[in-house]
Amino acid sequence: MSKLLGVPLKKPSEVDVVKPLNNLIQSTYNGATAEEKSQYAEAVNDFSKQRNTAIWKFFEKYEASLETVYAYYDQICALETKISANELQIPFKWKDAFDKGSIFGGKISLTHTSLLYEKVCVLFNIAALQSSVAVSQPLDTDEGLKLAIKLLQQSAGIYQYLKGATPAAVPSEPTPDLSQDTLTVLQALMVAQAQEVFILKAIKDNMKDQIIAKLCCQGEEFYADVLRAMQKESVRNLWEKEWIPTIAGKQAGFHALTQLYQSLVCRSTKKVGEEIARLRNAIELFKAAQTRGGNETYLDEYFSRAKRNLAESTKDNEFIYNEIIPEISTLASPGKAQLAKPLPMAAPMAGNFKDIFTNLVPVELHRALTASDMRKNEIVNAEIMKLREATQTLNAVLASLNLPAAVETTDSNSGLPPSLREKANEVRGKGGIEHVQTMLKDLPELLSRNREILDETERLLDEERDSDNQLRGQFKERWTRLSSDKLTEMFRTNAKKYREVITNAIEADKVVRQKFEANQKGIELLSMPPEQIQQSLPSASGSVDPNCTSVQRLKQLMEAVETIKAERDAVESELKSATFNMKNEFLQALQKDGAIDEPALSLARIGQVLSPLQTQVKESTERQQTLVADIQSAHAAFSTETGSCGNSRDKLYKELATAYDSFVELSGNLQEGTKFYNDLTQLLVVFQNKISDFVFARKTEKEELLKDLTTESSRQAPPATPALPSHYASTSGSGSDIPAAGAPLAPAGPSNVPYPAQVHMPVPYGASPGVPYPTFVPPPMPQSFNPYATLPYPGNYQYGGLPQGPAPGHYGTYPGSFAHQQGGYPNQKPPGW
């Protein structure tokens, strides 16, 4: 038997996977703790090392290398379930496996930023390595035969899988080795060679001649199919120069073996005439096999046996049997027996696979958990908003009636009623007006920082687009890569949304500043020491009798006010701390149905947890209506009975009560606004990093494509395609007749607020001038700021139809850049753009 053929390997390029993968994980799992982030970073580094080891392990063609490359492929499969694979901006470059190129290496290559493309290329090389390991096996031992059969069938299964997987992973034109015609040839070749090894084992095991004849008949048909597929115009120039002659020789050889072993069946049944006819045909076929394959010793042992048997049988027929020798074309086929077939891919492929990213949950589960948490926070924030708005309304009513100050005994030291004295102490304790002024002063700087990051990000996109358009206009149709406008549509959409977020935040800042200016005088007074407040108070017109019936009634009502406020604080605290873990339920749904119906599952659990608290909120707001009516009625009786209403001191007390409420609101607004800007900065940095990854990949592609176009004119035109050789005759009738022995074989050719509505941040999305930043429960930063994930809602939790990342681009033929590996990201204007 002649040697088996091993498939050449695709040549990889080293590339930095650490920075882009860290960026993507940071944006996807933005709620991770510092410890979790450290674990993710360590896993990314391990993944990078694993890739660098695996891609060069392909070239060590030993059985031990397979486990290493299997583990890397398994890790890719595990990783793509935990991130959005089409968002990963890593320029994976692989050269064509069959490209001869020059002394400096092959020239045909393809670079994509898709993890699916990396997966396809790794799979191709796994199948190629399996074929090479099979070729190296000693076929004179049972262990070698069994391993070769297993690896060749596994290789065929991978090439079969790649025929369906490649179009999805490489939407543009792939390199020749990944074309459908090439993959069809390689699958058929692996099956044919596996069948050949089965035949060798059958012969070695001394199986019946009839079985071996059937196996050889099927092997001949397999090689006929391979030869036909290899000579297609689209692929015939890919193969090594000896491949087509070798396959042609094998087809003729197995046809010859079919006739030889069937002749042995005839000999055992004394069908001498048929035996002679088959032996004569076998001898012609052996000669053709040696001529076609260019190997004068190919199947020589079997050739000699056929000649000996022919001489013996001819002599016996002449002297004993005198049977008529039938025409070979009239003889029936011995039938076929197929043992070789593509084996389905194992999952996982490695026997001892361990997922590096065990701390990352499946991306669908993570999205469902995030959406569920955001849904819960939206409901919690809505309920807290109801409580706070009710409390603000109650405070406004009390302030307008100068309560509780009107019914309190004035303090002799400060000249203030106890309630106002406590409020003044609280304002001073929180930094007074200076605290508010400082935070107001910081807002423009925070705003400017975010605006600068977004401006720089958009500049990177604009410069990349302008460069692409310029070169497209220069090279016309020769500039074959996808246009920037198509690739950056989602980037542009999300940059626009960030710009809207910043614009809305500016409006919210104005509302806060206006509220401060309207209450500045009262806050200044509350910030003063007690003696200065007393000096600022107008003289009192008289004191109130504390034993008056109306005073006693109002005091009781003020106690009811404090009670309802305390209850609301408790309910608000319970709302903020309400938690539930949907992970197990989501995992069960994912395993059972293959999908997660997040809205249905989340709403059922949210109802169980929050329904009692929602009932308390409703009861509290309804009870307030009766309480306010009682206070207004009692205050009217108080004014009639005492006449202490409308003097200048009472008016100032009202102003101070209103100023205190505004101070509390402003402090909360400014803290939330500062947090908003700081969180937005982190998200914009992640967004900018993604744009930088994309721009770097496009720049690398541009340089490679420019190099190809510059040198294109100096390349020689490919030689004319030679005429197709005639197909060999197939026992099964699948091919045409074999040319006469010795005829030459045709030569082979060469080769709502600025934040989402549920976060309730700046106006105009659902906020009011009184509460421009009403964030109550700190939710995970919404995926609205992740430029590939879901964008602001309320009410829309479905993932389908929401902006995802840009489709993986076709990054022509550019190499991985060492600048990229060393962290050379274009945060500043890249040179040469």
Side-chain angles (χ1 to χ4, degrees):
M1 299 287 181
S2 66
K3 68 175 184 178
L4 301 175
L5 299 178
V7 180
L9 294 161
K10 293 179 71 66
K11 287 76 178 175
S13 295
E14 292 187 1
V15 66
D16 176 25
V17 303
V18 174
K19 192 169 185 179
L21 187 51
N22 271 328
N23 287 342
L24 181 56
I25 291 176
Q26 181 183 350
S27 65
T28 304
Y29 298 89
N30 49 50
T33 64
E35 182 180 357
E36 288 173 333
K37 289 180 179 178
S38 175
Q39 293 173 346
Y40 298 160
E42 183 179 352
V44 169
N45 288 330
D46 290 343
F47 178 70
S48 177
K49 294 174 184 176
Q50 186 180 36
R51 181 183 191 271
N52 290 336
T53 300
I55 61 175
W56 300 116
K57 206 72 173 178
F58 284 120
F59 298 94
E60 299 177 11
K61 299 180 180 179
Y62 307 108
E63 184 182 359
S65 301
L66 289 170
E67 277 297 309
T68 301
V69 297
Y70 289 166
Y72 176 55
Y73 172 76
D74 291 337
Q75 188 58 68
I76 295 176
C77 294
L79 179 60
E80 68 180 354
T81 67
K82 300 181 178 184
I83 62 172
S84 298
N86 63 333
E87 299 175 18
L88 190 59
Q89 299 290 327
I90 301 176
F92 295 111
K93 177 185 177 181
W94 292 81
K95 293 182 180 179
D96 181 77
F98 295 98
D99 181 31
K100 317 301 188 298
S102 65
I103 60 173
F104 302 106
K107 294 180 179 179
I108 301 177
S109 64
L110 182 66
T111 307
H112 270 287
T113 58
S114 167
L115 190 63
L116 293 177
Y117 175 62
E118 170 85 347
K119 179 180 175 182
V120 162
C121 294
V122 168
L123 263 183
F124 182 97
N125 269 12
I126 287 175
L129 180 58
Q130 288 173 332
S131 72
S132 296
V133 174
V135 168
S136 67
Q137 295 306 303
L139 300 182
D140 55 351
T141 67
D142 283 341
E143 292 75 12
L145 288 167
K146 290 177 181 178
L147 181 57
I149 288 171
K150 182 183 77 169
L151 292 176
L152 289 168
Q153 292 184 104
Q154 287 177 339
S155 180
I158 291 176
Y159 288 126
Q160 184 180 56
Y161 170 82
L162 287 175
K163 288 195 292 184
T166 301
V170 190
S172 56
E173 183 180 356
T175 48
D177 54 0
L178 291 175
S179 71
Q180 292 294 297
D181 288 344
T182 303
L183 295 172
T184 298
V185 169
L186 297 178
Q187 177 192 340
L189 176 60
M190 295 301 106
V191 172
Q193 293 190 140
Q195 183 79 8
E196 178 178 349
V197 181
F198 271 120
I199 293 169
L200 290 176
K201 190 173 189 313
I203 294 173
K204 182 177 182 297
D205 294 345
N206 295 314
M207 298 185 73
K208 293 181 179 180
D209 295 332
Q210 183 69 61
I211 295 175
I212 297 176
K214 291 182 178 183
L215 290 171
C216 290
C217 184
Q218 183 65 68
E220 182 270 334
E221 183 183 74
F222 279 154
Y223 276 115
D225 292 341
V226 174
L227 184 61
R228 189 179 302 108
M230 290 180 85
Q231 293 183 110
K232 277 191 175 183
E233 190 67 29
S234 59
V235 297
R236 61 175 287 109
N237 295 330
L238 292 181
W239 322 115
E240 297 289 341
K241 63 181 181 179
E242 72 273 9
W243 274 33
I244 290 181
T246 298
I247 298 303
K250 283 176 179 283
Q251 187 214 9
F254 281 103
H255 195 169
L257 288 171
T258 301
Q259 300 292 36
L260 172 60
Y261 278 94
Q262 189 61 26
S263 74
L264 296 175
V265 176
C266 294
R267 171 172 284 199
S268 66
T269 58
K270 304 299 183 181
K271 296 179 180 179
V272 179
E274 181 179 343
E275 177 192 1
I276 293 172
R278 290 189 183 278
L279 286 170
R280 286 175 179 176
N281 185 237
I283 290 172
E284 291 181 8
L285 289 166
F286 280 127
K287 291 178 182 178
Q290 292 177 347
T291 302
R292 302 298 182 183
N295 182 357
E296 295 180 355
T297 63
Y298 177 49
L299 298 176
D300 213 26
E301 176 188 349
Y302 301 95
F303 190 8
S304 298
R305 183 179 181 184
K307 289 187 286 188
R308 288 195 307 270
N309 287 358
L310 178 61
E312 293 173 2
S313 297
T314 302
K315 182 178 179 180
D316 290 345
N317 192 49
E318 289 175 352
F319 290 100
I320 303 174
Y321 300 105
N322 293 315
E323 286 192 13
I324 297 173
I325 312 301
E327 292 291 329
I328 191 66
S329 60
T330 64
L331 300 179
S333 166
K336 303 168 192 170
Q338 177 180 346
L339 292 180
K341 60 181 179 181
L343 293 180
M345 292 168 51
M349 297 182 75
N352 57 347
F353 170 66
K354 182 180 179 182
D355 186 6
I356 295 173
F357 296 98
T358 52
N359 292 324
L360 294 180
V361 299
V363 66
E364 187 173 354
L365 173 61
H366 174 71
R367 287 174 173 169
L369 289 171
T370 302
S372 176
D373 200 37
M374 294 171 72
R375 188 187 302 277
K376 183 209 73 174
N377 289 340
E378 183 182 57
I379 296 174
V380 165
N381 288 336
E383 295 302 315
I384 293 178
M385 175 69 80
K386 292 177 184 178
L387 289 177
R388 291 196 171 184
E389 286 179 345
T391 301
Q392 289 169 3
T393 301
L394 181 58
N395 287 338
V397 170
L398 296 178
S400 68
L401 300 178
N402 190 27
L403 293 173
V407 294
E408 291 177 332
T409 304
T410 301
D411 184 89
S412 58
N413 295 323
S414 64
L416 291 174
S419 60
L420 284 179
R421 184 178 68 249
E422 292 175 2
K423 291 176 180 178
N425 291 337
E426 183 179 340
V427 169
R428 287 194 300 272
K430 291 183 177 180
I433 194 170
E434 293 83 4
H435 172 67
V436 176
Q437 290 172 328
T438 300
M439 296 186 74
L440 278 172
K441 184 180 179 182
D442 292 340
L443 286 181
E445 182 180 345
L446 297 173
L447 169 65
S448 177
R449 180 179 65 191
N450 286 294
R451 184 182 281 161
E452 288 171 1
I453 297 173
L454 185 56
D455 289 345
E456 172 64 13
T457 302
E458 291 182 324
R459 183 190 66 78
L460 291 173
L461 286 173
D462 291 343
E463 291 192 350
E464 191 281 324
R465 177 200 59 202
D466 294 343
S467 174
D468 181 66
N469 291 340
Q470 177 188 352
L471 292 168
R472 191 175 304 279
Q474 178 180 346
F475 291 100
K476 308 299 181 183
E477 66 277 359
R478 295 165 65 200
W479 195 252
T480 55
R481 70 176 184 169
L482 292 178
S483 67
S484 297
D485 290 337
K486 291 182 180 179
L487 290 175
T488 61
E489 184 177 349
M490 280 298 102
F491 284 140
R492 296 285 184 182
T493 297
N494 287 288
K496 182 179 180 181
K497 289 185 178 294
Y498 279 120
R499 187 69 66 184
E500 291 174 356
V501 164
I502 291 177
T503 300
N504 291 336
I506 294 172
E507 293 302 316
D509 293 345
K510 290 181 180 178
V511 171
V512 172
R513 195 172 299 277
Q514 290 169 0
K515 184 188 294 185
F516 171 72
E517 292 172 353
N519 295 276
Q520 183 174 359
K521 182 179 178 181
I523 296 174
E524 285 179 349
L525 187 56
L526 288 173
S527 303
M528 294 178 180
E531 58 275 8
Q532 293 187 22
I533 297 178
Q534 184 175 12
Q535 293 173 5
S536 303
L537 292 176
S539 57
S541 58
S543 60
V544 176
D545 182 3
N547 298 316
C548 178
T549 304
S550 57
V551 171
Q552 294 297 322
R553 174 60 177 159
L554 282 173
K555 285 185 177 181
Q556 292 174 356
L557 291 171
M558 291 305 100
E559 291 177 0
V561 167
E562 294 304 315
T563 300
I564 200 171
K565 286 182 178 181
E567 290 174 352
R568 289 175 178 175
D569 288 342
V571 172
E572 181 174 328
S573 178
E574 290 184 48
L575 283 167
K576 289 179 180 180
S577 61
T579 58
F580 51 86
N581 190 349
M582 297 295 297
K583 183 176 180 179
N584 292 334
E585 288 184 44
F586 287 162
L587 273 175
Q588 291 174 3
L590 189 61
Q591 294 168 356
K592 180 181 178 181
D593 305 324
I596 300 173
D597 187 359
E598 180 274 323
L601 294 173
S602 295
L603 288 173
R605 179 65 71 84
I606 290 172
Q608 294 175 2
V609 175
L610 298 184
S611 181
L613 295 174
Q614 289 176 305
T615 301
Q616 293 183 48
V617 171
K618 182 178 180 181
E619 291 175 351
S620 178
T621 54
E622 290 175 350
R623 199 163 80 244
Q624 177 175 307
Q625 296 177 5
T626 302
L627 180 61
V628 168
D630 290 344
I631 291 172
Q632 290 173 332
S633 174
H635 186 269
F638 169 75
S639 299
T640 301
E641 186 174 344
T642 64
S644 59
C645 178
N647 61 61
S648 58
R649 176 168 286 205
D650 288 342
K651 291 180 179 178
L652 181 58
Y653 288 167
K654 295 177 183 179
E655 290 180 10
L656 292 177
T658 302
Y660 167 78
D661 292 336
S662 298
F663 174 83
V664 173
E665 292 171 22
L666 283 169
S667 296
N669 295 161
L670 290 169
Q671 289 173 2
E672 290 157 1
T674 301
K675 182 180 184 301
F676 160 72
Y677 281 122
N678 289 330
D679 290 341
L680 182 59
T681 299
Q682 296 179 22
L683 296 168
L684 285 172
V685 167
V686 172
F687 182 54
Q688 184 185 40
N689 286 341
K690 287 190 174 184
I691 299 298
S692 298
D693 292 343
F694 168 79
V695 170
F696 170 80
R698 292 283 283 180
K699 180 176 182 291
T700 310
E701 170 200 18
K702 179 189 73 171
E703 293 169 350
E704 185 71 15
L705 188 54
L706 278 173
K707 183 176 69 175
D708 289 347
L709 292 173
T710 303
T711 58
E712 191 178 66
S713 59
S714 63
R715 297 177 182 171
Q716 293 182 352
T721 304
L724 292 176
S726 299
H727 290 293
Y728 301 111
S730 170
T731 306
S732 63
S734 61
S736 56
D737 291 340
I738 298 179
L745 182 68
S751 62
N752 129 19
V753 283
Y755 325 84
Q758 77 278 8
V759 188
H760 296 298
M761 299 264 316
V763 292
Y765 293 102
S768 66
V771 264
Y773 299 99
T775 299
F776 311 118
V777 177
M781 282 312 294
Q783 292 197 6
S784 57
F785 299 116
N786 175 355
Y788 300 97
T790 55
L791 288 161
Y793 60 101
N796 190 351
Y797 299 92
Q798 302 300 319
Y799 301 118
L802 292 175
Q804 302 297 318
H810 167 207
Y811 294 126
T813 56
Y814 61 89
S817 166
F818 287 104
H820 187 275
Q821 298 166 28
Q822 296 163 5
Y825 284 77
N827 288 325
Q828 301 300 323
K829 181 177 179 180
W833 282 63

